[in-house]
Amino acid sequence: EAQVTQNPRYLITVTGKKLTVTCSQNMNHEYMSWYRQDPGLGLRQIYYSMNVEVTDKGDVPEGYKVSRKEKRNFPLILESPSPNQTSLYFCASSQTTSRSYNSPLHFGNGTRLTVT
Amino acid sequence: AQKVTQAQTEISVVEKEDVTLDCVYETRDTTYYLFWYKQPPSGELVFLIRRNSFDEQNEISGRYSWNFQKSTSSFNFTITASQVVDSAVYFCALDNAGNNRKLIWGLGTSLAVNP
């Protein structure tokens, strides 16, 4: 089954304790991205990756890191989480070539992070 | 500036009623894409439809239909004969076809379909 898999689904942590949210897709997609969803602010892009070893900042990258060492994986790293990073996080993937541009973003099931 | 506005924050209907969710967008680009996603109470984001700026044909998929009008910069979504399972938050989003594939999202419309 074609899917984007995020883990964990729920995470409660304390300020300053490094954490990683994993994201993996099995569709051989080149493009991957991370979003956060907050009430009243909607969904905002954190980072994106056009391909392996190619990553770039989205609208709200502060406090986050990403890596793209393999095509299928795009982990989101919070080196020193703070309470303002409490949010619902989504990983997404899609094809990027114009010939296959009919591919929409496919989202994972989300990770609900609480930082106390 | 690019923007997506979903003016209806919450809508409540009774089962079997028809309901239309409004979406108005702003962009200066001539090539762009519009999407609708559904977020049920379980939280995942489910793709519903994608429409490009050169295709103004309306689309129907079962009880769902979409009306794209460039003249009014609107991409409205209608659910016919609503069902309780349609209860969810619905998001409209704009993709400017740029390299970052960033979607500009509306704030969503929360639809409650009551039995």
Side-chain angles (χ1 to χ4, degrees):
Chain A
E1 180 187 354
Q3 60 184 6
V4 178
T5 304
Q6 286 180 236
N7 281 297
R9 286 294 305 274
Y10 302 92
L11 179 59
I12 300 174
T13 190
V14 296
T15 299
K17 185 176 182 181
K18 181 179 178 180
L19 66 91
T20 299
V21 183
T22 64
C23 174
S24 180
Q25 50 92 6
N26 62 1
M27 295 168 279
N28 201 36
H29 284 167
E30 295 173 343
Y31 177 91
M32 298 186 74
S33 179
W34 277 100
Y35 284 82
R36 61 177 289 174
Q37 182 180 20
D38 302 288
L41 297 175
L43 286 109
R44 296 175 291 170
Q45 190 184 56
I46 303 171
Y47 268 95
Y48 67 96
S49 170
M50 298 296 288
N51 213 325
V52 176
E53 302 291 1
V54 181
T55 64
D56 210 342
K57 298 177 181 178
D59 292 326
V60 288
E62 295 77 21
Y64 304 95
K65 287 175 59 177
V66 293
S67 68
R68 188 87 184 274
K69 297 178 181 177
E70 311 166 275
K71 199 171 189 178
R72 64 183 292 124
N73 295 323
F74 190 45
L76 179 69
I77 304 158
L78 284 72
E79 295 271 2
S80 183
S82 62
N84 64 12
Q85 292 178 298
T86 293
S87 185
L88 178 58
Y89 291 86
F90 287 99
C91 181
S93 73
S94 76
Q95 294 288 358
T96 55
T97 61
S98 59
R99 287 178 298 170
S100 59
Y101 202 78
N102 59 353
S103 174
L105 279 175
H106 297 267
F107 285 87
N109 286 337
T111 296
R112 189 167 293 280
L113 172 65
T114 302
V115 184
T116 61
Chain B
Q2 297 176 317
K3 186 178 180 181
V4 174
T5 302
Q6 294 179 256
Q8 306 146 309
T9 304
E10 295 180 357
I11 299 176
S12 181
V13 299
V14 177
E15 205 169 18
K16 297 184 183 179
E17 284 186 29
D18 298 346
V19 58
T20 295
L21 310 182
D22 298 332
C23 172
V24 174
Y25 62 92
E26 297 176 27
T27 181
R28 292 184 178 181
D29 296 318
T30 55
T31 301
Y32 53 89
Y33 300 83
L34 295 164
F35 298 82
W36 276 95
Y37 282 85
K38 173 182 179 180
Q39 187 173 40
S42 50
E44 69 271 25
L45 284 164
V46 180
F47 166 74
L48 295 178
I49 189 172
R50 170 189 176 272
R51 175 65 72 221
N52 73 55
S53 53
F54 301 108
D55 181 3
E56 287 194 72
Q57 286 189 357
N58 293 328
E59 179 145 346
I60 298 175
S61 177
R63 296 184 296 106
Y64 294 172
S65 62
W66 290 269
N67 184 319
F68 176 31
Q69 292 193 345
K70 288 179 73 172
S71 61
T72 57
S73 296
S74 65
F75 187 42
N76 297 336
F77 173 31
T78 297
I79 301 175
T80 303
S82 60
Q83 300 176 2
V84 173
V85 293
D86 296 326
S87 297
V89 180
Y90 291 87
F91 291 95
C92 180
L94 168 70
D95 182 345
N96 67 351
N99 287 336
N100 65 3
R101 291 296 314 279
K102 182 178 71 175
L103 294 182
I104 309 299
W105 296 80
L107 293 183
T109 297
S110 178
L111 173 65
V113 181
N114 302 300

Coordinates of all heavy atoms in Angstrom, one line a residue, chain B residues 22-107:
Chain B
D22 N -17.1 27.3 0.8 CA -16.6 28.3 0.0 C -15.1 28.4 0.1 O -14.5 28.2 1.2 CB -17.2 29.7 0.3 CG -18.7 29.7 0.1 OD1 -19.2 29.0 -0.8 OD2 -19.4 30.5 0.7
C23 N -14.4 28.7 -1.0 CA -13.0 28.9 -1.0 C -12.7 30.0 -2.0 O -13.1 29.9 -3.2 CB -12.2 27.7 -1.4 SG -10.5 27.9 -1.7
V24 N -12.0 31.1 -1.6 CA -11.6 32.2 -2.5 C -10.1 32.3 -2.3 O -9.6 32.3 -1.2 CB -12.3 33.5 -2.0 CG1 -11.7 34.7 -2.8 CG2 -13.8 33.4 -2.2
Y25 N -9.5 32.5 -3.5 CA -8.0 32.5 -3.5 C -7.5 33.8 -4.1 O -8.2 34.4 -4.9 CB -7.4 31.3 -4.2 CG -7.8 31.2 -5.6 CD1 -7.0 31.7 -6.6 CD2 -9.0 30.6 -6.0 CE1 -7.3 31.6 -7.9 CE2 -9.3 30.5 -7.3 CZ -8.5 31.0 -8.3 OH -8.9 31.0 -9.6
E26 N -6.3 34.1 -3.8 CA -5.6 35.3 -4.4 C -4.2 34.8 -4.9 O -3.4 34.2 -4.1 CB -5.4 36.4 -3.4 CG -6.7 37.0 -2.9 CD -6.4 38.1 -1.8 OE1 -5.3 38.7 -1.8 OE2 -7.3 38.2 -1.0
T27 N -3.9 35.1 -6.1 CA -2.6 34.9 -6.7 C -2.4 35.7 -7.9 O -3.3 36.0 -8.6 CB -2.4 33.4 -7.0 OG1 -1.0 33.2 -7.5 CG2 -3.4 32.9 -8.0
R28 N -1.1 36.0 -8.2 CA -0.8 36.8 -9.4 C -0.3 35.8 -10.5 O 0.0 36.2 -11.6 CB 0.2 37.9 -9.1 CG -0.3 39.0 -8.3 CD 0.7 40.1 -8.1 NE 0.1 41.2 -7.3 CZ 0.8 42.3 -7.0 NH1 2.0 42.5 -7.4 NH2 0.2 43.3 -6.3
D29 N -0.1 34.6 -10.1 CA 0.5 33.6 -11.0 C -0.6 33.2 -12.0 O -1.8 33.1 -11.7 CB 1.0 32.4 -10.3 CG 2.2 32.7 -9.4 OD1 3.0 33.5 -9.8 OD2 2.2 32.2 -8.3
T30 N -0.2 32.9 -13.3 CA -1.1 32.4 -14.2 C -1.2 30.9 -14.2 O -2.2 30.3 -14.6 CB -0.7 32.8 -15.7 OG1 0.7 32.4 -15.9 CG2 -0.7 34.3 -15.8
T31 N -0.2 30.2 -13.7 CA -0.2 28.8 -13.5 C -0.2 28.5 -12.0 O 0.7 28.9 -11.3 CB 1.0 28.1 -14.1 OG1 1.1 28.4 -15.5 CG2 1.0 26.6 -14.0
Y32 N -1.3 27.8 -11.6 CA -1.4 27.4 -10.2 C -2.3 26.2 -10.1 O -3.0 25.8 -11.1 CB -1.9 28.6 -9.4 CG -3.2 29.2 -9.8 CD1 -4.4 28.7 -9.4 CD2 -3.1 30.3 -10.7 CE1 -5.6 29.3 -9.9 CE2 -4.3 30.9 -11.2 CZ -5.5 30.4 -10.8 OH -6.7 31.0 -11.2
Y33 N -2.3 25.7 -8.9 CA -3.1 24.5 -8.7 C -3.9 24.7 -7.4 O -3.5 25.3 -6.4 CB -2.3 23.2 -8.5 CG -1.4 23.0 -9.8 CD1 -0.2 23.6 -10.0 CD2 -1.9 22.1 -10.7 CE1 0.5 23.4 -11.1 CE2 -1.2 21.8 -11.9 CZ 0.0 22.5 -12.1 OH 0.7 22.3 -13.2
L34 N -5.1 24.2 -7.4 CA -6.0 24.3 -6.2 C -6.3 22.9 -5.7 O -6.5 22.0 -6.5 CB -7.3 25.0 -6.6 CG -7.1 26.5 -7.0 CD1 -8.3 27.1 -7.7 CD2 -6.7 27.3 -5.7
F35 N -6.4 22.8 -4.4 CA -6.7 21.5 -3.8 C -7.8 21.6 -2.7 O -8.0 22.7 -2.2 CB -5.4 20.9 -3.1 CG -4.3 20.7 -4.0 CD1 -3.4 21.7 -4.4 CD2 -4.0 19.4 -4.4 CE1 -2.3 21.5 -5.2 CE2 -2.9 19.2 -5.3 CZ -2.1 20.2 -5.6
W36 N -8.4 20.5 -2.5 CA -9.2 20.3 -1.3 C -8.8 19.1 -0.6 O -8.5 18.0 -1.2 CB -10.7 20.2 -1.7 CG -11.4 21.5 -1.9 CD1 -11.7 22.1 -3.1 CD2 -12.1 22.3 -0.9 NE1 -12.4 23.3 -2.8 CE2 -12.6 23.4 -1.5 CE3 -12.2 22.2 0.5 CZ2 -13.3 24.4 -0.8 CZ3 -12.9 23.2 1.2 CH2 -13.4 24.3 0.5
Y37 N -8.6 19.3 0.7 CA -8.3 18.1 1.6 C -9.3 18.0 2.7 O -9.9 19.0 3.1 CB -6.9 18.4 2.3 CG -5.7 18.1 1.4 CD1 -5.3 19.0 0.5 CD2 -5.1 16.8 1.4 CE1 -4.2 18.8 -0.3 CE2 -4.0 16.6 0.6 CZ -3.6 17.5 -0.3 OH -2.5 17.3 -1.1
K38 N -9.5 16.8 3.2 CA -10.4 16.6 4.3 C -9.6 16.1 5.5 O -8.7 15.3 5.4 CB -11.4 15.5 3.9 CG -12.3 15.0 5.0 CD -13.2 13.8 4.5 CE -14.1 13.3 5.5 NZ -15.0 12.2 5.0
Q39 N -9.9 16.6 6.7 CA -9.3 16.2 7.9 C -10.4 15.7 8.8 O -11.0 16.5 9.5 CB -8.5 17.3 8.6 CG -7.7 16.8 9.8 CD -6.8 17.9 10.3 OE1 -7.1 19.1 10.4 NE2 -5.6 17.5 10.7
P40 N -10.6 14.4 8.9 CA -11.6 13.8 9.8 C -11.2 13.9 11.2 O -10.0 14.3 11.5 CB -11.7 12.4 9.3 CG -10.4 12.1 8.7 CD -10.0 13.4 8.1
P41 N -12.0 13.6 12.2 CA -11.7 13.7 13.6 C -10.4 12.9 14.0 O -9.7 13.2 14.9 CB -12.9 13.2 14.3 CG -14.0 13.4 13.4 CD -13.4 13.3 12.0
S42 N -10.1 11.9 13.2 CA -8.9 11.1 13.5 C -7.6 11.8 13.2 O -6.5 11.4 13.6 CB -8.9 9.8 12.7 OG -9.2 10.0 11.4
G43 N -7.7 12.9 12.4 CA -6.6 13.8 12.3 C -5.8 13.8 11.0 O -5.1 14.7 10.7
E44 N -5.9 12.7 10.2 CA -5.1 12.7 9.0 C -5.7 13.6 7.9 O -6.8 14.1 8.0 CB -5.1 11.2 8.4 CG -6.4 10.7 7.9 CD -7.2 10.0 8.9 OE1 -7.1 10.4 10.1 OE2 -8.1 9.2 8.5
L45 N -4.8 13.9 7.0 CA -5.2 14.8 5.9 C -5.4 13.9 4.6 O -4.5 13.3 4.1 CB -4.1 15.8 5.6 CG -4.1 17.0 6.6 CD1 -2.8 17.7 6.5 CD2 -5.3 17.9 6.3
V46 N -6.6 14.0 4.1 CA -7.0 13.2 3.0 C -7.2 14.0 1.7 O -8.0 15.0 1.7 CB -8.3 12.4 3.3 CG1 -8.7 11.5 2.1 CG2 -8.1 11.5 4.5
F47 N -6.5 13.7 0.7 CA -6.6 14.4 -0.6 C -8.0 14.2 -1.2 O -8.4 13.0 -1.3 CB -5.5 14.0 -1.5 CG -5.7 14.4 -3.0 CD1 -5.5 15.7 -3.3 CD2 -6.0 13.5 -3.9 CE1 -5.6 16.1 -4.6 CE2 -6.2 13.9 -5.2 CZ -6.0 15.2 -5.6
L48 N -8.7 15.2 -1.7 CA -9.9 15.1 -2.3 C -9.9 15.4 -3.8 O -10.4 14.6 -4.7 CB -11.0 16.0 -1.7 CG -11.4 15.7 -0.2 CD1 -12.4 16.7 0.3 CD2 -11.9 14.2 -0.1
I49 N -9.3 16.5 -4.2 CA -9.2 16.9 -5.6 C -8.1 17.9 -5.8 O -7.7 18.6 -4.9 CB -10.6 17.6 -6.0 CG1 -10.6 17.7 -7.5 CG2 -10.8 18.9 -5.3 CD1 -12.0 18.2 -8.1
R50 N -7.6 17.9 -7.0 CA -6.6 18.8 -7.5 C -7.2 19.4 -8.8 O -7.7 18.7 -9.7 CB -5.3 18.2 -7.8 CG -4.3 19.0 -8.5 CD -3.1 18.1 -8.9 NE -2.1 18.8 -9.7 CZ -2.2 18.9 -11.0 NH1 -3.1 18.4 -11.7 NH2 -1.2 19.6 -11.6
R51 N -7.0 20.7 -9.0 CA -7.5 21.4 -10.2 C -6.4 22.4 -10.6 O -5.9 23.1 -9.8 CB -8.8 22.1 -10.0 CG -9.3 22.9 -11.1 CD -9.7 22.1 -12.3 NE -10.9 21.3 -12.0 CZ -11.0 20.1 -12.4 NH1 -10.1 19.4 -13.0 NH2 -12.2 19.4 -12.1
N52 N -6.0 22.4 -11.9 CA -5.1 23.4 -12.4 C -5.8 24.6 -13.0 O -6.9 24.5 -13.3 CB -4.0 22.8 -13.4 CG -4.6 22.5 -14.7 OD1 -5.2 23.4 -15.4 ND2 -4.5 21.3 -15.2
S53 N -5.0 25.7 -13.1 CA -5.6 27.0 -13.4 C -6.1 27.0 -14.9 O -6.8 28.0 -15.2 CB -4.6 28.1 -13.2 OG -3.4 27.8 -13.8
F54 N -5.7 26.1 -15.7 CA -6.1 26.1 -17.1 C -7.4 25.2 -17.3 O -7.8 25.1 -18.5 CB -5.0 25.6 -18.0 CG -3.8 26.5 -17.9 CD1 -2.6 26.1 -17.2 CD2 -3.8 27.8 -18.4 CE1 -1.5 26.9 -17.1 CE2 -2.7 28.6 -18.2 CZ -1.6 28.2 -17.6
D55 N -7.8 24.6 -16.3 CA -9.0 23.7 -16.4 C -10.1 24.2 -15.6 O -10.1 23.9 -14.4 CB -8.6 22.3 -16.0 CG -9.7 21.3 -16.2 OD1 -10.8 21.7 -16.7 OD2 -9.5 20.1 -15.9
E56 N -11.1 24.8 -16.2 CA -12.2 25.4 -15.4 C -13.4 24.5 -15.4 O -14.5 24.9 -14.9 CB -12.6 26.8 -15.9 CG -11.6 27.8 -15.6 CD -12.1 29.2 -15.8 OE1 -13.0 29.7 -15.1 OE2 -11.7 29.9 -16.8
Q57 N -13.3 23.3 -15.9 CA -14.4 22.4 -15.9 C -14.7 22.0 -14.5 O -13.9 21.7 -13.7 CB -14.1 21.1 -16.7 CG -14.1 21.3 -18.2 CD -14.0 20.0 -18.9 OE1 -13.9 19.0 -18.3 NE2 -14.1 20.1 -20.3
N58 N -16.0 22.0 -14.2 CA -16.4 21.5 -12.9 C -16.3 20.0 -12.8 O -16.3 19.3 -13.8 CB -17.9 21.9 -12.6 CG -18.0 23.4 -12.5 OD1 -17.1 24.1 -12.0 ND2 -19.1 23.9 -12.9
E59 N -16.2 19.5 -11.6 CA -16.0 18.1 -11.5 C -16.9 17.5 -10.4 O -17.3 18.1 -9.5 CB -14.5 17.8 -11.0 CG -14.2 16.3 -10.7 CD -12.8 16.0 -11.1 OE1 -12.1 16.8 -11.8 OE2 -12.4 14.9 -10.7
I60 N -17.4 16.3 -10.7 CA -18.3 15.6 -9.8 C -17.7 14.2 -9.5 O -17.2 13.5 -10.4 CB -19.7 15.4 -10.5 CG1 -20.3 16.8 -10.8 CG2 -20.6 14.6 -9.6 CD1 -21.6 16.7 -11.5
S61 N -17.7 13.9 -8.3 CA -17.3 12.6 -7.8 C -18.2 12.1 -6.8 O -18.1 12.4 -5.6 CB -15.8 12.6 -7.3 OG -15.4 11.4 -6.8
G62 N -19.2 11.3 -7.2 CA -20.2 10.8 -6.3 C -21.0 11.9 -5.7 O -21.6 12.7 -6.5
R63 N -21.0 12.1 -4.4 CA -21.8 13.1 -3.8 C -21.0 14.4 -3.8 O -21.6 15.4 -3.3 CB -22.2 12.7 -2.4 CG -23.1 11.5 -2.3 CD -23.5 11.2 -0.9 NE -22.4 10.8 0.0 CZ -21.9 11.6 0.9 NH1 -22.4 12.8 1.1 NH2 -20.8 11.2 1.6
Y64 N -19.8 14.4 -4.2 CA -18.9 15.6 -4.1 C -18.9 16.3 -5.5 O -18.8 15.6 -6.5 CB -17.5 15.2 -3.7 CG -17.3 14.7 -2.3 CD1 -16.1 14.1 -1.9 CD2 -18.3 14.7 -1.4 CE1 -15.9 13.6 -0.7 CE2 -18.1 14.2 -0.1 CZ -16.9 13.6 0.2 OH -16.7 13.1 1.5
S65 N -18.9 17.6 -5.5 CA -18.7 18.3 -6.7 C -18.0 19.6 -6.4 O -18.0 20.1 -5.3 CB -20.1 18.6 -7.4 OG -20.9 19.5 -6.5
W66 N -17.2 20.1 -7.4 CA -16.4 21.3 -7.2 C -16.7 22.3 -8.4 O -16.8 21.9 -9.5 CB -14.9 20.9 -7.2 CG -14.5 20.1 -6.0 CD1 -14.0 20.6 -4.9 CD2 -14.6 18.7 -5.9 NE1 -13.8 19.6 -4.0 CE2 -14.1 18.4 -4.6 CE3 -15.0 17.7 -6.7 CZ2 -14.0 17.2 -4.0 CZ3 -14.9 16.4 -6.2 CH2 -14.4 16.1 -4.9
N67 N -16.8 23.5 -8.0 CA -17.1 24.6 -9.0 C -15.9 25.6 -9.0 O -15.7 26.3 -8.0 CB -18.4 25.3 -8.6 CG -18.8 26.3 -9.6 OD1 -17.9 27.1 -10.1 ND2 -20.1 26.4 -9.9
F68 N -15.1 25.6 -10.1 CA -14.0 26.4 -10.2 C -14.3 27.6 -11.1 O -14.7 27.4 -12.3 CB -12.8 25.6 -10.8 CG -11.5 26.4 -11.0 CD1 -11.2 27.5 -10.2 CD2 -10.7 26.0 -12.0 CE1 -10.0 28.2 -10.5 CE2 -9.5 26.7 -12.3 CZ -9.2 27.8 -11.5
Q69 N -14.2 28.8 -10.6 CA -14.5 30.0 -11.4 C -13.3 31.0 -11.3 O -13.2 31.6 -10.3 CB -15.8 30.6 -11.0 CG -17.0 29.8 -11.3 CD -18.3 30.6 -11.1 OE1 -18.3 31.7 -10.5 NE2 -19.4 30.0 -11.6
K70 N -12.6 31.1 -12.4 CA -11.4 32.0 -12.3 C -11.9 33.4 -12.2 O -11.2 34.3 -11.7 CB -10.5 31.8 -13.6 CG -9.7 30.5 -13.5 CD -8.9 30.3 -14.8 CE -7.7 31.3 -14.8 NZ -6.8 31.0 -15.9
S71 N -13.0 33.7 -12.8 CA -13.5 35.1 -12.8 C -13.7 35.7 -11.4 O -13.6 36.9 -11.2 CB -14.8 35.2 -13.7 OG -15.8 34.4 -13.1
T72 N -14.1 34.8 -10.5 CA -14.3 35.2 -9.1 C -13.3 34.6 -8.2 O -13.4 34.8 -7.0 CB -15.7 34.8 -8.7 OG1 -15.8 33.3 -8.8 CG2 -16.8 35.5 -9.5
S73 N -12.2 34.0 -8.8 CA -11.2 33.4 -8.0 C -11.8 32.5 -6.9 O -11.4 32.6 -5.7 CB -10.3 34.5 -7.3 OG -9.6 35.2 -8.3
S74 N -12.7 31.6 -7.3 CA -13.3 30.8 -6.3 C -13.2 29.3 -6.7 O -13.2 29.0 -7.9 CB -14.8 31.2 -6.1 OG -15.5 31.0 -7.2
F75 N -13.2 28.5 -5.7 CA -13.1 27.0 -6.0 C -14.0 26.4 -4.9 O -13.5 25.9 -3.9 CB -11.7 26.5 -5.9 CG -11.5 25.1 -6.3 CD1 -12.1 24.5 -7.4 CD2 -10.6 24.3 -5.6 CE1 -11.9 23.2 -7.7 CE2 -10.4 23.0 -5.9 CZ -11.0 22.4 -7.0
N76 N -15.3 26.4 -5.1 CA -16.2 25.9 -4.0 C -16.5 24.4 -4.1 O -16.5 23.8 -5.2 CB -17.5 26.7 -4.1 CG -17.3 28.2 -3.9 OD1 -16.3 28.6 -3.2 ND2 -18.2 29.0 -4.4
F77 N -16.8 23.9 -3.0 CA -17.0 22.4 -2.8 C -18.4 22.2 -2.3 O -18.8 22.7 -1.3 CB -15.9 22.0 -1.8 CG -16.0 20.5 -1.4 CD1 -16.5 19.5 -2.2 CD2 -15.5 20.1 -0.2 CE1 -16.6 18.2 -1.8 CE2 -15.6 18.8 0.3 CZ -16.1 17.8 -0.6
T78 N -19.1 21.3 -3.0 CA -20.5 21.0 -2.6 C -20.6 19.5 -2.3 O -20.1 18.7 -3.0 CB -21.5 21.4 -3.7 OG1 -21.5 22.8 -3.9 CG2 -22.9 21.0 -3.3
I79 N -21.2 19.2 -1.1 CA -21.5 17.9 -0.8 C -23.0 17.7 -0.9 O -23.8 18.5 -0.2 CB -21.1 17.5 0.7 CG1 -19.6 17.7 0.8 CG2 -21.5 16.1 1.0 CD1 -19.1 17.6 2.2
T80 N -23.5 16.8 -1.7 CA -24.9 16.6 -1.9 C -25.4 15.4 -1.0 O -24.6 14.5 -0.8 CB -25.2 16.2 -3.3 OG1 -24.7 17.2 -4.2 CG2 -26.6 16.0 -3.6
A81 N -26.5 15.6 -0.4 CA -27.1 14.6 0.5 C -26.1 14.2 1.6 O -25.6 13.0 1.6 CB -27.5 13.4 -0.3
S82 N -25.7 15.2 2.4 CA -24.6 14.9 3.3 C -24.9 13.8 4.3 O -26.1 13.4 4.6 CB -24.4 16.2 4.1 OG -25.6 16.6 4.8
Q83 N -23.8 13.2 4.8 CA -23.9 12.1 5.7 C -23.0 12.4 6.9 O -22.1 13.2 6.9 CB -23.4 10.8 5.0 CG -24.2 10.4 3.8 CD -23.6 9.2 3.1 OE1 -22.6 8.6 3.6 NE2 -24.2 8.8 2.0
V84 N -23.3 11.7 8.0 CA -22.6 11.9 9.2 C -21.1 11.7 9.0 O -20.2 12.4 9.6 CB -23.1 11.0 10.4 CG1 -22.2 11.1 11.6 CG2 -24.6 11.3 10.7
V85 N -20.7 10.8 8.2 CA -19.3 10.5 7.9 C -18.6 11.6 7.2 O -17.4 11.6 7.1 CB -19.1 9.2 7.1 CG1 -19.5 8.0 7.9 CG2 -19.9 9.3 5.8
D86 N -19.4 12.6 6.7 CA -18.8 13.8 6.1 C -18.3 14.8 7.1 O -17.6 15.7 6.7 CB -19.8 14.4 5.1 CG -20.2 13.6 4.0 OD1 -19.3 12.8 3.5 OD2 -21.3 13.7 3.5
S87 N -18.6 14.6 8.3 CA -18.2 15.5 9.4 C -16.7 15.5 9.5 O -16.0 14.5 9.7 CB -18.8 15.1 10.7 OG -20.2 15.1 10.7
A88 N -16.1 16.7 9.3 CA -14.7 16.8 9.2 C -14.3 18.3 9.1 O -15.2 19.1 8.9 CB -14.1 16.0 8.1
V89 N -13.0 18.6 9.1 CA -12.6 19.9 8.7 C -12.1 19.8 7.3 O -11.3 18.9 6.9 CB -11.5 20.4 9.6 CG1 -11.0 21.8 9.2 CG2 -11.9 20.4 11.1
Y90 N -12.5 20.7 6.4 CA -12.2 20.7 5.0 C -11.3 21.9 4.7 O -11.6 23.1 5.1 CB -13.4 20.8 4.2 CG -14.2 19.5 4.2 CD1 -15.2 19.3 5.2 CD2 -14.0 18.4 3.3 CE1 -15.9 18.1 5.3 CE2 -14.7 17.3 3.4 CZ -15.6 17.1 4.4 OH -16.4 15.9 4.5
F91 N -10.2 21.6 4.1 CA -9.2 22.7 3.7 C -9.1 22.9 2.2 O -9.0 21.9 1.5 CB -7.8 22.3 4.3 CG -7.7 22.3 5.8 CD1 -7.9 21.1 6.5 CD2 -7.4 23.5 6.4 CE1 -7.8 21.1 7.9 CE2 -7.3 23.5 7.8 CZ -7.5 22.3 8.5
C92 N -9.0 24.1 1.9 CA -8.7 24.5 0.5 C -7.3 25.0 0.5 O -6.8 25.6 1.4 CB -9.7 25.6 0.1 SG -9.5 26.2 -1.6
A93 N -6.5 24.7 -0.6 CA -5.1 25.1 -0.6 C -4.7 25.4 -2.0 O -5.3 25.0 -3.0 CB -4.3 23.9 -0.1
L94 N -3.7 26.3 -2.1 CA -3.2 26.9 -3.4 C -1.8 26.5 -3.5 O -1.0 26.7 -2.6 CB -3.4 28.4 -3.4 CG -2.7 29.2 -4.5 CD1 -3.3 28.9 -5.8 CD2 -2.8 30.7 -4.1
D95 N -1.4 26.0 -4.7 CA 0.0 25.7 -5.0 C 0.4 26.5 -6.2 O -0.2 26.4 -7.3 CB 0.1 24.2 -5.3 CG 1.5 23.7 -5.6 OD1 2.4 24.6 -5.8 OD2 1.7 22.5 -5.6
N96 N 1.4 27.3 -6.0 CA 1.8 28.2 -7.1 C 2.7 27.6 -8.1 O 3.3 28.2 -9.0 CB 2.5 29.5 -6.6 CG 3.8 29.2 -5.9 OD1 4.1 28.0 -5.7 ND2 4.5 30.2 -5.5
A97 N 2.9 26.2 -8.0 CA 3.7 25.5 -8.9 C 5.2 25.9 -8.9 O 6.0 25.6 -9.8 CB 3.2 25.6 -10.4
G98 N 5.6 26.5 -7.8 CA 6.9 26.9 -7.6 C 7.8 25.7 -7.2 O 7.3 24.6 -6.9
N99 N 9.1 25.9 -7.1 CA 10.0 24.8 -6.8 C 9.7 24.2 -5.5 O 10.0 23.0 -5.2 CB 11.4 25.2 -7.0 CG 11.8 25.3 -8.5 OD1 11.2 24.8 -9.3 ND2 12.8 26.2 -8.7
N100 N 9.3 25.0 -4.5 CA 9.2 24.5 -3.2 C 7.9 23.7 -2.9 O 7.7 23.2 -1.9 CB 9.3 25.6 -2.1 CG 8.2 26.6 -2.2 OD1 7.3 26.5 -3.0 ND2 8.3 27.7 -1.4
R101 N 7.0 23.7 -3.9 CA 5.7 23.0 -3.8 C 5.0 23.3 -2.5 O 4.3 22.5 -2.0 CB 6.0 21.5 -3.9 CG 6.4 20.9 -5.2 CD 5.4 21.1 -6.2 NE 4.0 20.7 -5.8 CZ 3.6 19.5 -5.8 NH1 4.3 18.5 -6.1 NH2 2.3 19.3 -5.4
K102 N 5.2 24.6 -2.1 CA 4.5 24.9 -0.8 C 3.0 25.2 -1.1 O 2.7 25.9 -2.0 CB 5.2 26.2 -0.2 CG 4.6 26.6 1.1 CD 5.3 27.8 1.7 CE 5.0 29.1 0.9 NZ 5.6 30.3 1.5
L103 N 2.2 24.6 -0.3 CA 0.8 24.9 -0.3 C 0.5 26.1 0.6 O 0.9 26.1 1.7 CB 0.0 23.7 0.1 CG 0.1 22.5 -0.8 CD1 -0.8 21.4 -0.3 CD2 -0.3 22.8 -2.3
I104 N -0.4 27.0 0.1 CA -0.9 28.0 0.9 C -2.3 27.6 1.3 O -3.2 27.3 0.4 CB -1.1 29.4 0.1 CG1 0.3 29.7 -0.6 CG2 -1.6 30.5 1.0 CD1 1.4 29.9 0.4
W105 N -2.5 27.5 2.6 CA -3.7 26.8 3.1 C -4.7 27.9 3.6 O -4.4 28.9 4.2 CB -3.4 25.9 4.2 CG -2.5 24.7 3.9 CD1 -1.2 24.7 3.7 CD2 -3.0 23.4 3.6 NE1 -0.8 23.5 3.4 CE2 -1.8 22.6 3.3 CE3 -4.2 22.8 3.6 CZ2 -1.9 21.3 3.0 CZ3 -4.3 21.4 3.4 CH2 -3.1 20.7 3.0
G106 N -6.0 27.6 3.4 CA -7.0 28.3 4.1 C -7.1 27.7 5.5 O -6.4 26.7 5.8
L107 N -7.8 28.4 6.4 CA -7.9 28.0 7.8 C -8.9 26.9 8.0 O -9.0 26.4 9.2 CB -8.2 29.2 8.7 CG -7.1 30.2 8.7 CD1 -7.5 31.3 9.7 CD2 -5.8 29.6 9.1

